[in-house]
Amino acid sequence: MNDAAAHIHPDSLDALPLKGIRVLDLTLARAGPTCVRHLADWGADVIRIEPPASGDGEITGNRDGFDFQNLHRNKRAMQLDLKSAEGKQIFMALAERADVVVENMRAAVKYRLGVDFESVRRVNPRIVYASISGFGQDGPYGHRAGVDQIAQGMGGLMSITGLPGQGPVRVGIPIADLTAGNLLALGVMMALFRRERTGQGGWVQTSLLEAMVFMLDFQASRWLLAGEIAGQAGNDHPTSIPTGVYPTADRPIVMAASSARMWERFCNAIGKPEWTTQGDWGTGDGRSRHRAEINRAIAEVTIQQPSQHWIEVFDAAGIPCGPINTIDQVFADPQVQHLGLARATEHARLGPQRVVGTPINLSGVEDTIRRPTPDAGEHTDAVLAELGYGAEAIAALRAKRVV
């Protein structure tokens, strides 16, 4: 695969696994759109529903910005006032024909609008209704608004990120948002699969807090099973030594030689076979106790040669190793280019674009950007026409600012 233009006709969906699935997208910000992006990329007919434009500015954010354009490709877009009786009627007509509704409103908002799961299920028992919240749909924090960094803090991640003694540090990506979106997409797939057996939809839920605690993974199990409270370990792996960042003659590398077998291969590759029997460096516990000393010793050797030298040496020895790339270097990397992770498309108004491709590969399927991110309300008339509205009726809805 390469970065060649991947814009194909929107109807070229036959091989995509979600062809025939219709999704109503009520999401804002990032977590919800991350979920819907998976569904759109793999062939679902996604209708993004946004409120009509007002004089208060763009509620959805900077539509022409890099973030919005990357999040909302492969969708159609319509504007609809869910606060109006006619707007809600149109939404329910769409929901009656839909397979999935995705939302990430504060818990109370969907009930106030009358587009909650129970309301939608009354018109479509087969609906899969998917929700992301900050802290869950109920409970002591269920009413609270939540954003990524709050979840990073409350979910423990900031307490284990950064250099020892540095104080709390956020991760450089919105990891709680992204993880919650990824998990919700997985939940939607499971609910659709269950529907094939039962004929019934259901309500799929996750939250930023749940996603963040889940992502603690072994750091969480250290506490739950061993009673250990993890702290900041910086660039060192908290339990597997040596794993971390080491200087070279030009730029740092990251290397992992944590198992007994890899430690022996590493010592031979670096020209220090004696390290395997030096003191108690030959055991994992010993290396953990002497991590600072071992890291200094490794750095004294790696600084003598450029990064590419060590990458080739360690690769030949089967030791995981790589450069520490800036973002531009990531997309210049030959393996990243081979994987086709930058996908090109053509926006009618904004011109040529590149967005981040899906990391999922499915045999027999070409995962392309079928359409760029739509302009606000770009497909409103087409969606209404599918519901049977004629030109005069649509004009009347526009006059009343329902759409």
PDB file of all heavy atoms in Angstrom, residues 246-278:
ATOM      1  N   TYR A 246      18.199   5.046  25.386  1.00  0.00           N
ATOM      2  CA  TYR A 246      19.651   5.109  25.541  1.00  0.00           C
ATOM      3  C   TYR A 246      20.239   6.051  24.508  1.00  0.00           C
ATOM      4  O   TYR A 246      19.779   6.106  23.358  1.00  0.00           O
ATOM      5  CB  TYR A 246      20.254   3.699  25.405  1.00  0.00           C
ATOM      6  CG  TYR A 246      19.703   2.772  26.458  1.00  0.00           C
ATOM      7  CD1 TYR A 246      18.616   1.958  26.183  1.00  0.00           C
ATOM      8  CD2 TYR A 246      20.239   2.758  27.740  1.00  0.00           C
ATOM      9  CE1 TYR A 246      18.082   1.132  27.161  1.00  0.00           C
ATOM     10  CE2 TYR A 246      19.713   1.936  28.722  1.00  0.00           C
ATOM     11  CZ  TYR A 246      18.626   1.130  28.432  1.00  0.00           C
ATOM     12  OH  TYR A 246      18.097   0.330  29.413  1.00  0.00           O
ATOM     13  N   PRO A 247      21.276   6.809  24.882  1.00  0.00           N
ATOM     14  CA  PRO A 247      21.883   7.769  23.962  1.00  0.00           C
ATOM     15  C   PRO A 247      22.761   7.062  22.946  1.00  0.00           C
ATOM     16  O   PRO A 247      23.302   5.979  23.190  1.00  0.00           O
ATOM     17  CB  PRO A 247      22.719   8.648  24.890  1.00  0.00           C
ATOM     18  CG  PRO A 247      23.126   7.719  26.002  1.00  0.00           C
ATOM     19  CD  PRO A 247      21.944   6.803  26.203  1.00  0.00           C
ATOM     20  N   THR A 248      22.875   7.671  21.773  1.00  0.00           N
ATOM     21  CA  THR A 248      23.852   7.222  20.778  1.00  0.00           C
ATOM     22  C   THR A 248      24.623   8.450  20.314  1.00  0.00           C
ATOM     23  O   THR A 248      24.409   9.557  20.817  1.00  0.00           O
ATOM     24  CB  THR A 248      23.175   6.536  19.570  1.00  0.00           C
ATOM     25  OG1 THR A 248      22.539   7.526  18.760  1.00  0.00           O
ATOM     26  CG2 THR A 248      22.170   5.484  20.020  1.00  0.00           C
ATOM     27  N   ALA A 249      25.480   8.251  19.321  1.00  0.00           N
ATOM     28  CA  ALA A 249      26.305   9.364  18.845  1.00  0.00           C
ATOM     29  C   ALA A 249      25.475  10.420  18.128  1.00  0.00           C
ATOM     30  O   ALA A 249      25.939  11.558  17.971  1.00  0.00           O
ATOM     31  CB  ALA A 249      27.404   8.843  17.919  1.00  0.00           C
ATOM     32  N   ASP A 250      24.246  10.083  17.672  1.00  0.00           N
ATOM     33  CA  ASP A 250      23.440  11.100  16.996  1.00  0.00           C
ATOM     34  C   ASP A 250      22.086  11.338  17.668  1.00  0.00           C
ATOM     35  O   ASP A 250      21.770  12.454  18.038  1.00  0.00           O
ATOM     36  CB  ASP A 250      23.258  10.760  15.504  1.00  0.00           C
ATOM     37  CG  ASP A 250      22.749   9.345  15.262  1.00  0.00           C
ATOM     38  OD1 ASP A 250      22.448   8.632  16.237  1.00  0.00           O
ATOM     39  OD2 ASP A 250      22.651   8.949  14.081  1.00  0.00           O
ATOM     40  N   ARG A 251      21.281  10.312  17.897  1.00  0.00           N
ATOM     41  CA  ARG A 251      19.979  10.524  18.538  1.00  0.00           C
ATOM     42  C   ARG A 251      19.632   9.302  19.378  1.00  0.00           C
ATOM     43  O   ARG A 251      20.141   8.213  19.153  1.00  0.00           O
ATOM     44  CB  ARG A 251      18.900  10.790  17.499  1.00  0.00           C
ATOM     45  CG  ARG A 251      18.673   9.674  16.486  1.00  0.00           C
ATOM     46  CD  ARG A 251      17.434   9.954  15.652  1.00  0.00           C
ATOM     47  NE  ARG A 251      17.226   8.981  14.603  1.00  0.00           N
ATOM     48  CZ  ARG A 251      16.043   8.756  14.034  1.00  0.00           C
ATOM     49  NH1 ARG A 251      14.976   9.435  14.440  1.00  0.00           N
ATOM     50  NH2 ARG A 251      15.916   7.876  13.069  1.00  0.00           N
ATOM     51  N   PRO A 252      18.754   9.470  20.351  1.00  0.00           N
ATOM     52  CA  PRO A 252      18.445   8.357  21.248  1.00  0.00           C
ATOM     53  C   PRO A 252      17.735   7.218  20.539  1.00  0.00           C
ATOM     54  O   PRO A 252      17.080   7.394  19.503  1.00  0.00           O
ATOM     55  CB  PRO A 252      17.537   8.992  22.304  1.00  0.00           C
ATOM     56  CG  PRO A 252      17.724  10.461  22.166  1.00  0.00           C
ATOM     57  CD  PRO A 252      18.064  10.711  20.738  1.00  0.00           C
ATOM     58  N   ILE A 253      17.871   6.040  21.123  1.00  0.00           N
ATOM     59  CA  ILE A 253      17.135   4.866  20.675  1.00  0.00           C
ATOM     60  C   ILE A 253      16.365   4.302  21.869  1.00  0.00           C
ATOM     61  O   ILE A 253      16.656   4.620  23.025  1.00  0.00           O
ATOM     62  CB  ILE A 253      18.063   3.775  20.107  1.00  0.00           C
ATOM     63  CG1 ILE A 253      19.108   3.361  21.163  1.00  0.00           C
ATOM     64  CG2 ILE A 253      18.728   4.230  18.820  1.00  0.00           C
ATOM     65  CD1 ILE A 253      19.941   2.163  20.759  1.00  0.00           C
ATOM     66  N   VAL A 254      15.383   3.465  21.572  1.00  0.00           N
ATOM     67  CA  VAL A 254      14.685   2.733  22.620  1.00  0.00           C
ATOM     68  C   VAL A 254      14.948   1.252  22.381  1.00  0.00           C
ATOM     69  O   VAL A 254      14.939   0.776  21.239  1.00  0.00           O
ATOM     70  CB  VAL A 254      13.172   3.065  22.630  1.00  0.00           C
ATOM     71  CG1 VAL A 254      12.509   2.697  21.319  1.00  0.00           C
ATOM     72  CG2 VAL A 254      12.485   2.409  23.814  1.00  0.00           C
ATOM     73  N   MET A 255      15.233   0.542  23.471  1.00  0.00           N
ATOM     74  CA  MET A 255      15.674  -0.841  23.357  1.00  0.00           C
ATOM     75  C   MET A 255      15.071  -1.647  24.495  1.00  0.00           C
ATOM     76  O   MET A 255      14.878  -1.135  25.597  1.00  0.00           O
ATOM     77  CB  MET A 255      17.206  -0.893  23.398  1.00  0.00           C
ATOM     78  CG  MET A 255      17.839  -2.279  23.279  1.00  0.00           C
ATOM     79  SD  MET A 255      17.894  -3.193  24.852  1.00  0.00           S
ATOM     80  CE  MET A 255      18.876  -2.094  25.871  1.00  0.00           C
ATOM     81  N   ALA A 256      14.768  -2.923  24.235  1.00  0.00           N
ATOM     82  CA  ALA A 256      14.198  -3.797  25.256  1.00  0.00           C
ATOM     83  C   ALA A 256      14.906  -5.141  25.229  1.00  0.00           C
ATOM     84  O   ALA A 256      14.864  -5.855  24.223  1.00  0.00           O
ATOM     85  CB  ALA A 256      12.701  -3.996  25.026  1.00  0.00           C
ATOM     86  N   ALA A 257      15.572  -5.482  26.348  1.00  0.00           N
ATOM     87  CA  ALA A 257      16.257  -6.775  26.476  1.00  0.00           C
ATOM     88  C   ALA A 257      15.973  -7.331  27.866  1.00  0.00           C
ATOM     89  O   ALA A 257      16.880  -7.532  28.674  1.00  0.00           O
ATOM     90  CB  ALA A 257      17.757  -6.611  26.249  1.00  0.00           C
ATOM     91  N   SER A 258      14.721  -7.575  28.145  1.00  0.00           N
ATOM     92  CA  SER A 258      14.298  -7.802  29.523  1.00  0.00           C
ATOM     93  C   SER A 258      14.332  -9.257  29.959  1.00  0.00           C
ATOM     94  O   SER A 258      14.467  -9.540  31.149  1.00  0.00           O
ATOM     95  CB  SER A 258      12.880  -7.261  29.713  1.00  0.00           C
ATOM     96  OG  SER A 258      12.007  -7.808  28.741  1.00  0.00           O
ATOM     97  N   SER A 259      14.192 -10.197  29.039  1.00  0.00           N
ATOM     98  CA  SER A 259      14.189 -11.598  29.455  1.00  0.00           C
ATOM     99  C   SER A 259      15.622 -12.089  29.653  1.00  0.00           C
ATOM    100  O   SER A 259      16.586 -11.471  29.181  1.00  0.00           O
ATOM    101  CB  SER A 259      13.483 -12.455  28.409  1.00  0.00           C
ATOM    102  OG  SER A 259      14.274 -12.556  27.237  1.00  0.00           O
ATOM    103  N   ALA A 260      15.766 -13.220  30.322  1.00  0.00           N
ATOM    104  CA  ALA A 260      17.101 -13.776  30.566  1.00  0.00           C
ATOM    105  C   ALA A 260      17.818 -14.082  29.257  1.00  0.00           C
ATOM    106  O   ALA A 260      19.017 -13.797  29.100  1.00  0.00           O
ATOM    107  CB  ALA A 260      16.983 -15.041  31.419  1.00  0.00           C
ATOM    108  N   ARG A 261      17.081 -14.666  28.300  1.00  0.00           N
ATOM    109  CA  ARG A 261      17.697 -15.014  27.021  1.00  0.00           C
ATOM    110  C   ARG A 261      18.100 -13.751  26.259  1.00  0.00           C
ATOM    111  O   ARG A 261      19.185 -13.675  25.688  1.00  0.00           O
ATOM    112  CB  ARG A 261      16.732 -15.859  26.198  1.00  0.00           C
ATOM    113  CG  ARG A 261      17.282 -16.294  24.863  1.00  0.00           C
ATOM    114  CD  ARG A 261      16.330 -17.241  24.158  1.00  0.00           C
ATOM    115  NE  ARG A 261      16.140 -18.461  24.932  1.00  0.00           N
ATOM    116  CZ  ARG A 261      15.336 -19.464  24.560  1.00  0.00           C
ATOM    117  NH1 ARG A 261      14.638 -19.359  23.439  1.00  0.00           N
ATOM    118  NH2 ARG A 261      15.235 -20.538  25.300  1.00  0.00           N
ATOM    119  N   MET A 262      17.204 -12.739  26.241  1.00  0.00           N
ATOM    120  CA  MET A 262      17.532 -11.505  25.523  1.00  0.00           C
ATOM    121  C   MET A 262      18.672 -10.760  26.200  1.00  0.00           C
ATOM    122  O   MET A 262      19.505 -10.141  25.529  1.00  0.00           O
ATOM    123  CB  MET A 262      16.297 -10.604  25.427  1.00  0.00           C
ATOM    124  CG  MET A 262      15.319 -11.028  24.366  1.00  0.00           C
ATOM    125  SD  MET A 262      14.086  -9.762  24.054  1.00  0.00           S
ATOM    126  CE  MET A 262      13.147 -10.543  22.755  1.00  0.00           C
ATOM    127  N   TRP A 263      18.723 -10.787  27.528  1.00  0.00           N
ATOM    128  CA  TRP A 263      19.812 -10.123  28.240  1.00  0.00           C
ATOM    129  C   TRP A 263      21.157 -10.736  27.839  1.00  0.00           C
ATOM    130  O   TRP A 263      22.122 -10.009  27.595  1.00  0.00           O
ATOM    131  CB  TRP A 263      19.592 -10.242  29.748  1.00  0.00           C
ATOM    132  CG  TRP A 263      20.748  -9.799  30.589  1.00  0.00           C
ATOM    133  CD1 TRP A 263      21.510 -10.573  31.415  1.00  0.00           C
ATOM    134  CD2 TRP A 263      21.287  -8.474  30.698  1.00  0.00           C
ATOM    135  NE1 TRP A 263      22.481  -9.828  32.028  1.00  0.00           N
ATOM    136  CE2 TRP A 263      22.373  -8.532  31.610  1.00  0.00           C
ATOM    137  CE3 TRP A 263      20.974  -7.254  30.111  1.00  0.00           C
ATOM    138  CZ2 TRP A 263      23.132  -7.409  31.946  1.00  0.00           C
ATOM    139  CZ3 TRP A 263      21.734  -6.140  30.452  1.00  0.00           C
ATOM    140  CH2 TRP A 263      22.798  -6.210  31.352  1.00  0.00           C
ATOM    141  N   GLU A 264      21.211 -12.047  27.719  1.00  0.00           N
ATOM    142  CA  GLU A 264      22.460 -12.694  27.313  1.00  0.00           C
ATOM    143  C   GLU A 264      22.824 -12.299  25.881  1.00  0.00           C
ATOM    144  O   GLU A 264      23.989 -11.975  25.592  1.00  0.00           O
ATOM    145  CB  GLU A 264      22.327 -14.207  27.436  1.00  0.00           C
ATOM    146  CG  GLU A 264      23.605 -14.954  27.084  1.00  0.00           C
ATOM    147  CD  GLU A 264      23.480 -16.455  27.294  1.00  0.00           C
ATOM    148  OE1 GLU A 264      22.423 -16.891  27.806  1.00  0.00           O
ATOM    149  OE2 GLU A 264      24.436 -17.177  26.938  1.00  0.00           O
ATOM    150  N   ARG A 265      21.840 -12.320  24.969  1.00  0.00           N
ATOM    151  CA  ARG A 265      22.115 -11.936  23.582  1.00  0.00           C
ATOM    152  C   ARG A 265      22.538 -10.468  23.506  1.00  0.00           C
ATOM    153  O   ARG A 265      23.428 -10.110  22.728  1.00  0.00           O
ATOM    154  CB  ARG A 265      20.877 -12.175  22.714  1.00  0.00           C
ATOM    155  CG  ARG A 265      20.535 -13.628  22.511  1.00  0.00           C
ATOM    156  CD  ARG A 265      19.781 -13.860  21.203  1.00  0.00           C
ATOM    157  NE  ARG A 265      18.566 -13.078  21.119  1.00  0.00           N
ATOM    158  CZ  ARG A 265      17.342 -13.548  21.376  1.00  0.00           C
ATOM    159  NH1 ARG A 265      17.185 -14.810  21.753  1.00  0.00           N
ATOM    160  NH2 ARG A 265      16.284 -12.786  21.251  1.00  0.00           N
ATOM    161  N   PHE A 266      21.888  -9.632  24.301  1.00  0.00           N
ATOM    162  CA  PHE A 266      22.216  -8.218  24.306  1.00  0.00           C
ATOM    163  C   PHE A 266      23.661  -7.997  24.758  1.00  0.00           C
ATOM    164  O   PHE A 266      24.416  -7.231  24.126  1.00  0.00           O
ATOM    165  CB  PHE A 266      21.249  -7.463  25.232  1.00  0.00           C
ATOM    166  CG  PHE A 266      21.668  -6.043  25.515  1.00  0.00           C
ATOM    167  CD1 PHE A 266      21.450  -5.036  24.589  1.00  0.00           C
ATOM    168  CD2 PHE A 266      22.282  -5.711  26.716  1.00  0.00           C
ATOM    169  CE1 PHE A 266      21.839  -3.732  24.842  1.00  0.00           C
ATOM    170  CE2 PHE A 266      22.668  -4.414  26.982  1.00  0.00           C
ATOM    171  CZ  PHE A 266      22.447  -3.421  26.041  1.00  0.00           C
ATOM    172  N   CYS A 267      24.040  -8.631  25.843  1.00  0.00           N
ATOM    173  CA  CYS A 267      25.399  -8.445  26.356  1.00  0.00           C
ATOM    174  C   CYS A 267      26.452  -8.869  25.323  1.00  0.00           C
ATOM    175  O   CYS A 267      27.485  -8.198  25.149  1.00  0.00           O
ATOM    176  CB  CYS A 267      25.591  -9.241  27.652  1.00  0.00           C
ATOM    177  SG  CYS A 267      24.608  -8.613  29.041  1.00  0.00           S
ATOM    178  N   ASN A 268      26.188  -9.969  24.619  1.00  0.00           N
ATOM    179  CA  ASN A 268      27.114 -10.409  23.578  1.00  0.00           C
ATOM    180  C   ASN A 268      27.133  -9.422  22.415  1.00  0.00           C
ATOM    181  O   ASN A 268      28.198  -9.100  21.874  1.00  0.00           O
ATOM    182  CB  ASN A 268      26.722 -11.804  23.089  1.00  0.00           C
ATOM    183  CG  ASN A 268      26.999 -12.879  24.118  1.00  0.00           C
ATOM    184  OD1 ASN A 268      27.968 -12.781  24.881  1.00  0.00           O
ATOM    185  ND2 ASN A 268      26.146 -13.898  24.167  1.00  0.00           N
ATOM    186  N   ALA A 269      25.960  -8.922  22.020  1.00  0.00           N
ATOM    187  CA  ALA A 269      25.887  -8.005  20.883  1.00  0.00           C
ATOM    188  C   ALA A 269      26.589  -6.682  21.175  1.00  0.00           C
ATOM    189  O   ALA A 269      27.223  -6.091  20.284  1.00  0.00           O
ATOM    190  CB  ALA A 269      24.422  -7.750  20.514  1.00  0.00           C
ATOM    191  N   ILE A 270      26.496  -6.234  22.399  1.00  0.00           N
ATOM    192  CA  ILE A 270      27.077  -4.938  22.748  1.00  0.00           C
ATOM    193  C   ILE A 270      28.568  -5.063  23.076  1.00  0.00           C
ATOM    194  O   ILE A 270      29.258  -4.064  23.303  1.00  0.00           O
ATOM    195  CB  ILE A 270      26.297  -4.314  23.931  1.00  0.00           C
ATOM    196  CG1 ILE A 270      26.417  -2.796  23.924  1.00  0.00           C
ATOM    197  CG2 ILE A 270      26.724  -4.906  25.258  1.00  0.00           C
ATOM    198  CD1 ILE A 270      25.514  -2.107  24.936  1.00  0.00           C
ATOM    199  N   GLY A 271      29.058  -6.315  23.087  1.00  0.00           N
ATOM    200  CA  GLY A 271      30.481  -6.534  23.360  1.00  0.00           C
ATOM    201  C   GLY A 271      30.804  -6.590  24.837  1.00  0.00           C
ATOM    202  O   GLY A 271      31.953  -6.373  25.239  1.00  0.00           O
ATOM    203  N   LYS A 272      29.821  -6.934  25.674  1.00  0.00           N
ATOM    204  CA  LYS A 272      30.025  -7.001  27.118  1.00  0.00           C
ATOM    205  C   LYS A 272      29.490  -8.328  27.669  1.00  0.00           C
ATOM    206  O   LYS A 272      28.616  -8.362  28.542  1.00  0.00           O
ATOM    207  CB  LYS A 272      29.319  -5.836  27.814  1.00  0.00           C
ATOM    208  CG  LYS A 272      29.837  -4.467  27.438  1.00  0.00           C
ATOM    209  CD  LYS A 272      31.246  -4.224  27.990  1.00  0.00           C
ATOM    210  CE  LYS A 272      31.735  -2.820  27.671  1.00  0.00           C
ATOM    211  NZ  LYS A 272      33.087  -2.578  28.240  1.00  0.00           N
ATOM    212  N   PRO A 273      30.024  -9.462  27.199  1.00  0.00           N
ATOM    213  CA  PRO A 273      29.510 -10.755  27.692  1.00  0.00           C
ATOM    214  C   PRO A 273      29.716 -10.935  29.191  1.00  0.00           C
ATOM    215  O   PRO A 273      28.978 -11.704  29.823  1.00  0.00           O
ATOM    216  CB  PRO A 273      30.307 -11.781  26.886  1.00  0.00           C
ATOM    217  CG  PRO A 273      31.557 -11.066  26.460  1.00  0.00           C
ATOM    218  CD  PRO A 273      31.137  -9.637  26.243  1.00  0.00           C
ATOM    219  N   GLU A 274      30.670 -10.220  29.762  1.00  0.00           N
ATOM    220  CA  GLU A 274      30.945 -10.370  31.190  1.00  0.00           C
ATOM    221  C   GLU A 274      29.804  -9.848  32.065  1.00  0.00           C
ATOM    222  O   GLU A 274      29.713 -10.195  33.253  1.00  0.00           O
ATOM    223  CB  GLU A 274      32.252  -9.663  31.563  1.00  0.00           C
ATOM    224  CG  GLU A 274      32.251  -8.155  31.421  1.00  0.00           C
ATOM    225  CD  GLU A 274      32.611  -7.665  30.023  1.00  0.00           C
ATOM    226  OE1 GLU A 274      32.584  -8.501  29.079  1.00  0.00           O
ATOM    227  OE2 GLU A 274      32.920  -6.463  29.891  1.00  0.00           O
ATOM    228  N   TRP A 275      28.934  -9.011  31.492  1.00  0.00           N
ATOM    229  CA  TRP A 275      27.823  -8.483  32.279  1.00  0.00           C
ATOM    230  C   TRP A 275      26.871  -9.588  32.735  1.00  0.00           C
ATOM    231  O   TRP A 275      26.159  -9.427  33.719  1.00  0.00           O
ATOM    232  CB  TRP A 275      27.039  -7.439  31.461  1.00  0.00           C
ATOM    233  CG  TRP A 275      27.755  -6.124  31.327  1.00  0.00           C
ATOM    234  CD1 TRP A 275      28.935  -5.759  31.889  1.00  0.00           C
ATOM    235  CD2 TRP A 275      27.304  -4.995  30.564  1.00  0.00           C
ATOM    236  NE1 TRP A 275      29.278  -4.477  31.546  1.00  0.00           N
ATOM    237  CE2 TRP A 275      28.286  -3.977  30.726  1.00  0.00           C
ATOM    238  CE3 TRP A 275      26.218  -4.733  29.761  1.00  0.00           C
ATOM    239  CZ2 TRP A 275      28.175  -2.721  30.107  1.00  0.00           C
ATOM    240  CZ3 TRP A 275      26.091  -3.488  29.161  1.00  0.00           C
ATOM    241  CH2 TRP A 275      27.057  -2.494  29.325  1.00  0.00           C
ATOM    242  N   THR A 276      26.826 -10.675  32.000  1.00  0.00           N
ATOM    243  CA  THR A 276      25.878 -11.737  32.351  1.00  0.00           C
ATOM    244  C   THR A 276      26.227 -12.393  33.685  1.00  0.00           C
ATOM    245  O   THR A 276      25.361 -13.012  34.313  1.00  0.00           O
ATOM    246  CB  THR A 276      25.830 -12.814  31.257  1.00  0.00           C
ATOM    247  OG1 THR A 276      27.139 -13.385  31.099  1.00  0.00           O
ATOM    248  CG2 THR A 276      25.364 -12.217  29.932  1.00  0.00           C
ATOM    249  N   THR A 277      27.480 -12.270  34.103  1.00  0.00           N
ATOM    250  CA  THR A 277      27.904 -12.878  35.381  1.00  0.00           C
ATOM    251  C   THR A 277      28.397 -11.840  36.365  1.00  0.00           C
ATOM    252  O   THR A 277      28.961 -12.189  37.404  1.00  0.00           O
ATOM    253  CB  THR A 277      29.017 -13.912  35.126  1.00  0.00           C
ATOM    254  OG1 THR A 277      30.122 -13.288  34.446  1.00  0.00           O
ATOM    255  CG2 THR A 277      28.497 -15.076  34.288  1.00  0.00           C
ATOM    256  N   GLN A 278      28.176 -10.570  36.050  1.00  0.00           N
ATOM    257  CA  GLN A 278      28.655  -9.488  36.931  1.00  0.00           C
ATOM    258  C   GLN A 278      27.679  -9.299  38.083  1.00  0.00           C
ATOM    259  O   GLN A 278      26.529  -8.919  37.891  1.00  0.00           O
ATOM    260  CB  GLN A 278      28.783  -8.197  36.138  1.00  0.00           C
ATOM    261  CG  GLN A 278      29.296  -7.014  36.963  1.00  0.00           C
ATOM    262  CD  GLN A 278      29.600  -5.815  36.082  1.00  0.00           C
ATOM    263  OE1 GLN A 278      30.152  -5.965  34.999  1.00  0.00           O
ATOM    264  NE2 GLN A 278      29.225  -4.631  36.559  1.00  0.00           N
TER     265      GLN A 278
END
